[in-house]
Short mmCIF file of all heavy atoms in Angstrom, two decimals:
data_model
loop_
_atom_site.label_atom_id
_atom_site.label_comp_id
_atom_site.label_asym_id
_atom_site.label_seq_id
_atom_site.Cartn_x
_atom_site.Cartn_y
_atom_site.Cartn_z
N CYS A 1 -6.10 25.11 22.27
CA CYS A 1 -5.60 24.15 23.22
C CYS A 1 -5.89 22.78 22.92
O CYS A 1 -5.16 21.84 23.04
CB CYS A 1 -6.03 24.72 24.52
SG CYS A 1 -7.75 24.98 24.73
N THR A 2 -7.22 22.62 22.47
CA THR A 2 -7.72 21.20 22.08
C THR A 2 -6.82 20.59 20.99
O THR A 2 -6.36 19.42 21.19
CB THR A 2 -9.08 21.30 21.66
OG1 THR A 2 -9.83 21.85 22.81
CG2 THR A 2 -9.62 19.85 21.35
N ASP A 3 -6.51 21.39 19.99
CA ASP A 3 -5.72 20.84 18.83
C ASP A 3 -4.25 20.48 19.35
O ASP A 3 -3.83 19.40 19.05
CB ASP A 3 -5.69 21.91 17.77
CG ASP A 3 -4.84 21.36 16.48
OD1 ASP A 3 -5.09 20.17 16.23
OD2 ASP A 3 -4.01 22.18 16.10
N ASN A 4 -3.66 21.31 20.12
CA ASN A 4 -2.28 21.16 20.57
C ASN A 4 -2.05 20.15 21.64
O ASN A 4 -1.03 19.52 21.73
CB ASN A 4 -1.72 22.52 20.86
CG ASN A 4 -1.37 23.37 19.68
OD1 ASN A 4 -0.52 22.96 18.85
ND2 ASN A 4 -2.12 24.35 19.53
N LEU A 5 -3.08 20.08 22.59
CA LEU A 5 -2.89 19.18 23.80
C LEU A 5 -3.58 17.88 23.70
O LEU A 5 -3.31 17.04 24.47
CB LEU A 5 -3.36 20.04 25.04
CG LEU A 5 -2.43 21.12 25.41
CD1 LEU A 5 -3.18 22.02 26.56
CD2 LEU A 5 -1.09 20.76 25.78
N LYS A 6 -4.55 17.81 22.85
CA LYS A 6 -5.30 16.52 22.68
C LYS A 6 -5.14 15.83 21.33
O LYS A 6 -4.75 14.73 21.19
CB LYS A 6 -6.77 16.79 22.99
CG LYS A 6 -7.08 17.14 24.50
CD LYS A 6 -8.51 17.36 24.71
CE LYS A 6 -8.81 17.60 26.17
NZ LYS A 6 -8.65 16.47 27.05
N ILE A 7 -5.50 16.60 20.18
CA ILE A 7 -5.52 16.01 18.87
C ILE A 7 -4.18 15.67 18.40
O ILE A 7 -3.84 14.57 17.93
CB ILE A 7 -6.32 16.89 17.96
CG1 ILE A 7 -7.73 17.03 18.49
CG2 ILE A 7 -6.41 16.34 16.60
CD1 ILE A 7 -8.55 18.09 17.71
N LYS A 8 -3.32 16.69 18.39
CA LYS A 8 -1.99 16.40 17.79
C LYS A 8 -1.25 15.39 18.49
O LYS A 8 -0.59 14.44 17.85
CB LYS A 8 -1.20 17.71 17.73
CG LYS A 8 -1.69 18.75 16.60
CD LYS A 8 -0.87 20.00 16.66
CE LYS A 8 -1.26 20.97 15.51
NZ LYS A 8 -0.51 22.22 15.53
N PRO A 9 -1.19 15.40 19.81
CA PRO A 9 -0.33 14.34 20.46
C PRO A 9 -0.89 12.94 20.24
O PRO A 9 -0.04 12.00 20.10
CB PRO A 9 -0.56 14.63 21.89
CG PRO A 9 -0.79 16.10 22.00
CD PRO A 9 -1.62 16.45 20.77
N ILE A 10 -2.23 12.77 20.20
CA ILE A 10 -2.85 11.42 19.93
C ILE A 10 -2.42 10.89 18.51
O ILE A 10 -2.02 9.78 18.35
CB ILE A 10 -4.32 11.43 20.13
CG1 ILE A 10 -4.64 11.54 21.60
CG2 ILE A 10 -4.85 10.20 19.41
CD1 ILE A 10 -6.18 11.60 21.82
N TYR A 11 -2.51 11.81 17.51
CA TYR A 11 -2.20 11.31 16.14
C TYR A 11 -0.69 11.20 15.77
O TYR A 11 -0.21 10.39 15.15
CB TYR A 11 -2.80 12.24 15.08
CG TYR A 11 -4.32 12.04 14.96
CD1 TYR A 11 -5.31 12.80 15.57
CD2 TYR A 11 -4.73 10.87 14.32
CE1 TYR A 11 -6.54 12.59 15.50
CE2 TYR A 11 -6.11 10.55 14.24
CZ TYR A 11 -7.00 11.33 14.84
OH TYR A 11 -8.41 11.15 14.71
N ASN A 12 0.11 12.06 16.66
CA ASN A 12 1.58 11.85 16.50
C ASN A 12 2.00 10.50 17.15
O ASN A 12 2.84 9.78 16.62
CB ASN A 12 2.22 12.97 17.26
CG ASN A 12 2.22 14.31 16.59
OD1 ASN A 12 2.03 14.35 15.34
ND2 ASN A 12 2.51 15.39 17.27
N PHE A 13 1.38 10.27 18.37
CA PHE A 13 1.58 8.89 18.95
C PHE A 13 1.16 7.71 18.06
O PHE A 13 1.74 6.79 17.86
CB PHE A 13 0.79 8.72 20.30
CG PHE A 13 0.64 7.35 20.68
CD1 PHE A 13 1.69 6.63 21.25
CD2 PHE A 13 -0.56 6.75 20.39
CE1 PHE A 13 1.53 5.31 21.69
CE2 PHE A 13 -0.68 5.35 20.82
CZ PHE A 13 0.32 4.69 21.42
N LEU A 14 -0.09 7.98 17.38
CA LEU A 14 -0.61 6.91 16.50
C LEU A 14 0.34 6.62 15.48
O LEU A 14 0.47 5.32 15.02
CB LEU A 14 -1.98 7.25 16.03
CG LEU A 14 -2.78 6.27 15.40
CD1 LEU A 14 -2.98 4.88 16.14
CD2 LEU A 14 -4.19 6.73 14.94
N ASP A 15 0.94 7.60 14.76
CA ASP A 15 1.87 7.33 13.70
C ASP A 15 2.99 6.49 14.19
O ASP A 15 3.47 5.61 13.43
CB ASP A 15 2.25 8.66 13.16
CG ASP A 15 2.92 8.48 11.70
OD1 ASP A 15 2.33 7.72 10.89
OD2 ASP A 15 4.00 9.16 11.51
N HIS A 16 3.50 6.89 15.34
CA HIS A 16 4.66 6.10 15.85
C HIS A 16 4.22 4.71 16.26
O HIS A 16 5.00 3.71 16.02
CB HIS A 16 5.20 6.88 17.07
CG HIS A 16 6.55 6.40 17.57
ND1 HIS A 16 7.11 6.87 18.64
CD2 HIS A 16 7.43 5.61 16.94
CE1 HIS A 16 8.37 6.39 18.80
NE2 HIS A 16 8.48 5.58 17.72
N PHE A 17 3.08 4.52 16.80
CA PHE A 17 2.54 3.15 17.31
C PHE A 17 2.43 2.30 16.09
O PHE A 17 2.95 1.04 16.04
CB PHE A 17 1.12 3.34 17.90
CG PHE A 17 0.61 2.06 18.33
CD1 PHE A 17 0.95 1.33 19.56
CD2 PHE A 17 -0.35 1.46 17.45
CE1 PHE A 17 0.32 0.09 19.74
CE2 PHE A 17 -0.97 0.26 17.72
CZ PHE A 17 -0.59 -0.42 18.93
N VAL A 18 1.85 2.84 14.93
CA VAL A 18 1.62 2.05 13.77
C VAL A 18 3.06 1.62 13.09
O VAL A 18 3.22 0.51 12.68
CB VAL A 18 0.80 2.83 12.68
CG1 VAL A 18 0.92 2.09 11.32
CG2 VAL A 18 -0.63 2.92 13.20
N ALA A 19 3.92 2.59 13.22
CA ALA A 19 5.29 2.47 12.60
C ALA A 19 5.91 1.24 13.40
O ALA A 19 6.62 0.35 12.69
CB ALA A 19 6.07 3.67 12.72
N GLN A 20 5.93 1.23 14.72
CA GLN A 20 6.54 0.15 15.42
C GLN A 20 5.85 -1.20 15.32
O GLN A 20 6.41 -2.31 15.15
CB GLN A 20 6.60 0.68 16.89
CG GLN A 20 7.50 1.89 17.10
CD GLN A 20 7.46 2.29 18.64
OE1 GLN A 20 6.37 2.41 19.20
NE2 GLN A 20 8.61 2.44 19.21
N GLU A 21 4.45 -1.05 15.44
CA GLU A 21 3.64 -2.37 15.63
C GLU A 21 3.49 -3.09 14.27
O GLU A 21 3.35 -4.33 14.18
CB GLU A 21 2.28 -2.06 16.24
CG GLU A 21 2.41 -1.61 17.68
CD GLU A 21 3.01 -2.74 18.55
OE1 GLU A 21 2.57 -3.78 18.38
OE2 GLU A 21 3.76 -2.38 19.49
N TYR A 22 3.42 -2.37 13.16
CA TYR A 22 3.06 -2.87 11.86
C TYR A 22 4.25 -2.72 10.73
O TYR A 22 4.10 -3.57 9.78
CB TYR A 22 1.83 -2.10 11.34
CG TYR A 22 0.58 -2.45 12.14
CD1 TYR A 22 0.23 -1.55 13.13
CD2 TYR A 22 -0.26 -3.46 11.86
CE1 TYR A 22 -0.98 -1.79 13.97
CE2 TYR A 22 -1.43 -3.72 12.61
CZ TYR A 22 -1.63 -2.82 13.71
OH TYR A 22 -2.76 -3.04 14.41
N TYR A 23 5.16 -2.04 11.01
CA TYR A 23 6.35 -1.75 10.14
C TYR A 23 7.67 -1.93 10.59
O TYR A 23 8.62 -1.56 9.86
CB TYR A 23 6.10 -0.39 9.29
CG TYR A 23 4.73 -0.36 8.50
CD1 TYR A 23 3.77 0.30 9.05
CD2 TYR A 23 4.65 -0.95 7.32
CE1 TYR A 23 2.46 0.35 8.37
CE2 TYR A 23 3.40 -0.96 6.57
CZ TYR A 23 2.37 -0.24 7.17
OH TYR A 23 1.22 -0.28 6.44
N GLY A 24 7.78 -2.41 11.84
CA GLY A 24 9.09 -2.78 12.33
C GLY A 24 9.94 -1.55 12.60
O GLY A 24 11.22 -1.68 12.57
N TYR A 25 9.40 -0.39 12.70
CA TYR A 25 10.15 0.84 12.95
C TYR A 25 10.82 0.76 14.29
O TYR A 25 10.24 0.57 15.34
CB TYR A 25 9.23 2.10 12.86
CG TYR A 25 9.95 3.46 12.93
CD1 TYR A 25 10.44 4.02 11.66
CD2 TYR A 25 10.02 4.10 14.09
CE1 TYR A 25 11.00 5.18 11.80
CE2 TYR A 25 10.61 5.37 14.20
CZ TYR A 25 11.11 5.96 13.06
OH TYR A 25 11.73 7.23 13.01
N SER A 26 12.15 1.01 14.32
CA SER A 26 12.95 0.92 15.56
C SER A 26 13.79 2.16 15.90
O SER A 26 14.53 2.24 16.89
CB SER A 26 13.84 -0.40 15.64
OG SER A 26 14.73 -0.22 14.53
N ASP A 27 13.69 3.15 14.93
CA ASP A 27 14.46 4.38 15.17
C ASP A 27 14.01 5.15 16.48
O ASP A 27 12.76 5.07 16.78
CB ASP A 27 14.28 5.22 13.96
CG ASP A 27 15.33 6.41 13.82
OD1 ASP A 27 15.69 7.01 14.93
OD2 ASP A 27 15.79 6.64 12.79
N LYS A 28 14.93 5.67 17.22
CA LYS A 28 14.51 6.40 18.34
C LYS A 28 13.90 7.71 18.01
O LYS A 28 13.15 8.18 18.90
CB LYS A 28 15.84 6.66 19.25
CG LYS A 28 16.53 5.51 19.82
CD LYS A 28 17.70 5.79 20.68
CE LYS A 28 18.36 4.58 21.24
NZ LYS A 28 19.55 5.06 22.06
N LYS A 29 14.00 8.23 16.88
CA LYS A 29 13.45 9.49 16.49
C LYS A 29 11.93 9.26 16.13
O LYS A 29 11.63 8.21 15.41
CB LYS A 29 14.14 10.00 15.22
CG LYS A 29 13.55 11.37 14.84
CD LYS A 29 14.37 11.89 13.63
CE LYS A 29 13.84 13.32 13.26
NZ LYS A 29 14.62 13.80 12.00
N ILE A 30 11.06 10.03 16.71
CA ILE A 30 9.65 9.92 16.48
C ILE A 30 9.42 10.30 15.03
O ILE A 30 9.76 11.33 14.48
CB ILE A 30 8.79 10.76 17.39
CG1 ILE A 30 8.99 10.24 18.83
CG2 ILE A 30 7.39 10.81 17.12
CD1 ILE A 30 8.41 11.16 19.98
N PRO A 31 8.75 9.46 14.22
CA PRO A 31 8.47 9.86 12.84
C PRO A 31 7.44 11.02 12.66
O PRO A 31 6.69 11.27 13.58
CB PRO A 31 7.73 8.56 12.18
CG PRO A 31 7.15 7.87 13.46
CD PRO A 31 8.14 8.13 14.61
N THR A 32 7.63 11.70 11.57
CA THR A 32 6.76 12.88 11.32
C THR A 32 5.99 12.74 10.02
O THR A 32 6.42 11.87 9.13
CB THR A 32 7.56 14.20 11.21
OG1 THR A 32 8.64 14.10 10.24
CG2 THR A 32 8.34 14.43 12.55
N GLY A 33 4.97 13.58 9.78
CA GLY A 33 4.37 13.59 8.47
C GLY A 33 3.14 12.58 8.29
O GLY A 33 2.73 12.41 7.20
N LYS A 34 2.96 11.77 9.38
CA LYS A 34 1.88 10.78 9.27
C LYS A 34 2.09 9.70 8.19
O LYS A 34 1.21 9.19 7.72
CB LYS A 34 0.53 11.41 9.13
CG LYS A 34 0.31 12.60 10.24
CD LYS A 34 0.38 12.00 11.61
CE LYS A 34 -0.03 13.18 12.60
NZ LYS A 34 1.07 14.18 12.64
N LYS A 35 3.34 9.52 7.86
CA LYS A 35 3.73 8.65 6.76
C LYS A 35 3.21 7.24 7.01
O LYS A 35 2.65 6.51 6.11
CB LYS A 35 5.24 8.61 6.55
CG LYS A 35 5.72 7.56 5.46
CD LYS A 35 7.26 7.58 5.33
CE LYS A 35 7.86 6.91 6.25
NZ LYS A 35 9.39 6.71 5.99
N PHE A 36 3.33 6.68 8.31
CA PHE A 36 2.94 5.32 8.61
C PHE A 36 1.45 5.16 8.72
O PHE A 36 0.92 4.14 8.42
CB PHE A 36 3.70 4.88 9.84
CG PHE A 36 5.17 4.72 9.59
CD1 PHE A 36 5.98 5.65 10.04
CD2 PHE A 36 5.65 3.60 9.02
CE1 PHE A 36 7.40 5.59 9.78
CE2 PHE A 36 7.06 3.33 8.79
CZ PHE A 36 7.88 4.47 9.24
N ILE A 37 0.73 6.19 9.20
CA ILE A 37 -0.65 6.16 9.28
C ILE A 37 -1.18 6.10 7.77
O ILE A 37 -2.15 5.26 7.51
CB ILE A 37 -1.24 7.43 9.88
CG1 ILE A 37 -1.01 7.42 11.43
CG2 ILE A 37 -2.75 7.62 9.63
CD1 ILE A 37 -1.64 8.45 12.23
N LYS A 38 -0.68 6.83 6.95
CA LYS A 38 -1.12 6.83 5.39
C LYS A 38 -0.78 5.48 4.80
O LYS A 38 -1.66 4.93 4.05
CB LYS A 38 -0.46 8.01 4.71
CG LYS A 38 -0.95 9.37 5.20
CD LYS A 38 -0.51 10.51 4.27
CE LYS A 38 1.00 10.85 4.71
NZ LYS A 38 1.52 12.09 4.11
N GLN A 39 0.38 4.98 5.15
CA GLN A 39 0.84 3.62 4.67
C GLN A 39 -0.10 2.61 5.09
O GLN A 39 -0.55 1.59 4.29
CB GLN A 39 2.20 3.30 4.98
CG GLN A 39 2.84 2.13 4.23
CD GLN A 39 2.82 2.27 2.69
OE1 GLN A 39 3.23 3.27 2.10
NE2 GLN A 39 2.29 1.27 2.00
#
C-alpha cells in the first residue's frame, strides 16, 4: 500500500511537474518512465 498509494503517485507527479516546469511539456498525457526526472 505504501508503494502504490504514496511513493508511486509522488514520483509519477514529480516526473510530470519537471516535464512541465523545466522542459515545456504540454501534452495532456502524463509522461511515463521517469524520462524527465532522469533528464
